[in-house]
Amino acid sequence: MFSLPTGTVTFLYTDIEGSTRRWESNPAEMKAAVERHDALMHQAIREHGGVVFRTEGDAFRAAFVTAPQALSAAIAAQRLLQAEQWSAEIAPIKVRMALHTGLGEVRGNDYVGAHLNRAARIMSAAHGGQVLLSQASFDLVRDLLPDGVSLRDLGDHRLKDLQRPEHVYQVVVPGLLSDFPPLQTLDNRPNNLPLQRSLLVGRERELDEVQDLILRPEMGLLTLVGPGGIGKTRLAVQAAAELVDRFADGVYFVSLASVTSADQLEQAISQALGLLEAVGSSMGETLARFLAGKELLLVLDNFEQITAAGPAVSGLLSASRGLKVLVTSREPLHLQGEQEYHVPPLSLPNPRRLPSLEVLSQYDAVALFIQRARLVMPNFAISNDNAPAVAEICYRLDGLPLAIELAAARIRLLPPSALLERLASRLRLLTGGARDLPARQQTLRDTIKWSYDLLTPSEQMLFRRLSVFSGGCSLEAAEAVCNAAGDLEIDVLDGAASLVDKSLLRQEVGSRGEPRVSMLETVREFAIETLEGDPAEAEEMRSRLADYVIDLSKEAGPHLRQRTQKEWLDVLEMEHENIQSVLRWLLDRGEARRALGLVWCIWQFWYYRGYFSEAVNLIERAFALPEGKEPTFERGAALMVAAIVGSRLGRFGMMGEYGRESAEIAAQVDRPEARIVHAYALMMVGAEGIYREDGELNRPLLERSIEILRELKDEWGLALALLDIGIIETYHGNLDEAAAALEEGAALFRRLGDSWGLSQTLNSLGDVIRLRGDYPSARELYEESLSLYRELNVQPDIPASLHNLGYVALAQGERDKARSLFVEALDLQIGLKNNGGIAECVAGLAAVAAVDGDAERAARLLEFADGVRVADGSSWWPAEKAERDRYTALARSKLDPAVWERAVAEGRALTMERAIAEARAVEDAASRASA
């Protein structure tokens, strides 16, 4: 019988890289190799004072009294393994290793605690032959390293347990492997998986089963089914993290908590992927085109709200063989090929036959209770006195994670026996819920109701009223909506703090650093039900929310054109879900006029942040209502907004059709803002010329809009009109007229402090100057535009300035700088999933290839870029067309006609991925040539 070290212990975790494949291909040779591997590992660990406390297959788990001993054992093991003559059929055998130091908590003949999980996660990030150290182990060995051994700082890495990052170091030993690929962590795999506040408790069996199901070749759709609060989301996120290495194109989490209709699903997925809507295509078409050929896992969370959108998921799966979808829902989607996985409760002890304290703590439900209780009472522990009550609490709560968390959060005020007494009195009402709901959902509802019943009457009122907010709220908003009449007998700040403390609210930070609060969706669902128990109160709260959002939007409107622009864009971004909620509520009530008035206040936010489809869909829904058909100022203003925003969706006809009707209505409405709308509408009709050869026919309308705006002294509108005129004149080759309009517009935007308008105008003015051949002056304009874009954090526009600066650098003989700028812009466009922007950057790198003499590559890439523009239904901007023509001619002059045509045909057949790879290779080829 061996004795395990206690106190501060250093753990050594190891396993053989690629062992599964070797077992499958050469089982006999692998059996002999593993036996030899085991002997070598035992030798190295034993000789350096370690104890092997667990083996799992070819994985070793060893403990050491000191960290230097563990390090020496790992080095010795790697030397023995490298020196061994392995069978040719399975060689080489490489073992990955990790050291982590923590408290050695022994139970029986094994260790327990979070340190073991941390060690395993660090080890799983390593490659065969690599030895990694956690920060804790590094601190203990840094000054006691063996001769010749050094430690390489690999920086912070997010491990697959999704908690805090771990600072990782690599052991470098002379004679052993030292150069490895990037660590296999979340940082080095495409994903947007959210960090988690705590470790996942238990669920080992469920994790294994879910992963196995997802990886089956025939599996496309796996739905985790269960009642609210059972832990579907946490299980799905952890499974996705474990699988991140198996999907070349990434693992993406899509929260559907605020999605309430099927038509929002594609938008939610696209936002999670960072996918921009392609001009002339629907979001669904853009999404399907992006997913085609990808190896990608989507996690769609909280699908029960939009089960009618199930066929859309089938459509996405049909569009991509490499796509897999993991759904969490309270009910199946009932689709062909769907695999249901019913998430069970956490493992429970039998309170009638309690095991020992050590065994009791290993039940998942009890372990979760302990973990959550220690968050509010760090010294909480299971004892002989409280064990029966804790076991009974977990049993009565059916092992539901959310229910257990809510109960454990009360442990600071109520010891387990008192908590159990209150809980028991509430659970007698289990049959009080709807009979057609699952029993566990009734239990969860009663569990939340129990927490609700423990609140004071004023806290209850605040709790249910806060449920009207979608996506959370600031304390200012909570005060304005929940206590507008002063009928709360509690300060909103104190009440919110109390609700956060009781785990019924979550605390967040707003765009200005101000505190915000939000509810878990399951808790909010209960709060909404409670609020709607009093229809009059529910109606009043929704009306107050509408008043608050409208007032906030009215306040924000002017700021979107001034120096405070970014601050207010961020404010509206934070309130976006509340704005959506209010608009839908107004439209559901038929209040189209009020809804369209809100549209008039926030349309620039939609435009700057790219919410084009949302804007048009809501506006057109309002137009379909009786009140929305009336020729009011609000309809006229919304028609103008739809004309502007619709153009960004490729619906260019809206500019003329909606713009004309807007102008007609605005001309008849007796209201000061109507003249502004009239001018903007005329501007939109005139701006059709950007996309038409006969744009000259609209010039009088543009000139008339400018006259009106000058009369009204609307400098922002005038600057916008001058920007449009400058673009149109550029399209038609009238560079002097374009420059005059853009310079005047830039001066106005600069005076107003509108960074977005100024950056757009400077970028367009740079195009004019570049077309004149004055590259130094164009560079100054592009650099200022880029600086403003970065300051404003307008991500979709930053790559445009980088790309333009690339052409300037290339024209001035700075080929390396041009390559760098084009590659930077390309990386950003890839991240934005902007196919048109990717094509522009590919064409820029093609220009570099042409200058470098790589004419065939240039021809392929130029043809590919042309094809993307045609597919998107867009054309080259004048400055880009001039550069494209110039470098096309250069490349063509260097090739025989037959070679040129062959290269063009090859470019036409390139996939997006292949074209990007070849574009990146331009830089590599140039670097080799200059070496």
Side-chain angles (χ1 to χ4, degrees), residues 12 44 64 69-79 97 99 131 176:
L12 170 62
F64 296 79
Q69 286 178 307
L71 176 62
S72 296
I75 295 171
Q78 291 289 14
R79 284 174 170 157
M97 303 182 182
L99 275 66
V131 180
L176 295 181

Side-chain angles (χ1 to χ4, degrees), residues 117 311 563 652 730 830 870 922:
N117 184 74
R563 300 186 192 282
F652 305 126
T730 305
I830 292 171
V870 170
V922 170

